[in-house]
Amino acid sequence: MCQHQPQCPSADSSDREAAHTVARYPEQGWSLLCNGVLLFEDTGELLPDGQIIAPHRPLGTGLVTAA
């Protein structure tokens, strides 16, 4: 699928999010990468084979402010 040189990571590789963006829909909260991965703004992913990758945002700092 990828025509870039060097070729982008495949959808089943651990660095799949490094692939080039081919379509971006920020108003809908998702982007399509050239390896066929749908990347959602919450960091979740939908792989071309239908596998779902749960969101993996970094957790907060753990600081709590008094109200």
Side-chain angles (χ1 to χ4, degrees), residues 7-53:
Q7 193 167 13
C8 291
S10 67
D12 57 355
S13 67
S14 61
D15 60 345
R16 65 183 150 262
E17 295 173 15
H20 288 255
T21 302
V22 295
R24 193 179 309 246
Y25 295 92
E27 68 281 358
Q28 296 178 5
W30 62 273
S31 298
L32 175 64
L33 304 181
C34 72
N35 56 8
V37 172
L38 284 175
L39 180 62
F40 296 95
E41 68 181 14
D42 69 353
T43 69
E45 301 170 26
L46 179 61
L47 304 186
D49 65 1
Q51 182 181 356
I52 297 169
I53 306 296

Side-chain angles (χ1 to χ4, degrees), residues 59-64:
L59 298 176
T61 61
L63 298 177
V64 178

